[in-house]
Amino acid sequence: MFAKTGMNALGGDGLQELTFESSPPEELIPGQQRIDSLDGVYVGEATRNQRQGDGTMYFHDGRRYRGQWAEDAVHGLGTMLYSAAERYIGHWVEGVREGTGEYTQSGGEVYTGQFKSGKINGSGSMIYPDGS
């Protein structure tokens, strides 16, 4: 579940996670589909059994993604939780971090800025756990 929390690093009303279920819901909301795959379980909008629109992916390795999909790939604005302490909130293109985003690393460092081909690239800022 997400809630609007005001302005964020993406320059607008951003989505911050309040709670993020660790497993798929038992009951689906009307309009949602469940798609089981080798990687995990997807719950959300779909077209012709492909992830399309808004949805959540519960990966078998513990990662979770909630956000936009296009042609069965993470594409658009979304949040990936890699672990309890590591996450990325931002833009994706065909499953890769691309454009503006905020990456919180497992050590507590937070980078806000540009990504290209999944890597930090271009302008941005890094804040360390001690505030520097």
Side-chain angles (χ1 to χ4, degrees), residues 24 34-42 49 57 60:
R34 177 185 171 122
I35 300 173
D36 292 284
S37 69
L38 294 175
D39 293 335
V41 177
Y42 170 82
N49 209 34
M57 181 73 178
H60 293 308

Side-chain angles (χ1 to χ4, degrees), residues 26-60:
E26 293 295 320
E27 296 183 25
L28 300 179
I29 297 171
Q32 287 187 332
Q33 293 183 35
R34 177 185 171 122
I35 300 173
D36 292 284
S37 69
L38 294 175
D39 293 335
V41 177
Y42 170 82
V43 175
E45 297 172 340
T47 303
R48 294 182 302 280
N49 209 34
Q50 282 195 343
R51 297 166 288 193
Q52 182 78 23
D54 292 321
T56 303
M57 181 73 178
Y58 302 86
F59 293 92
H60 293 308

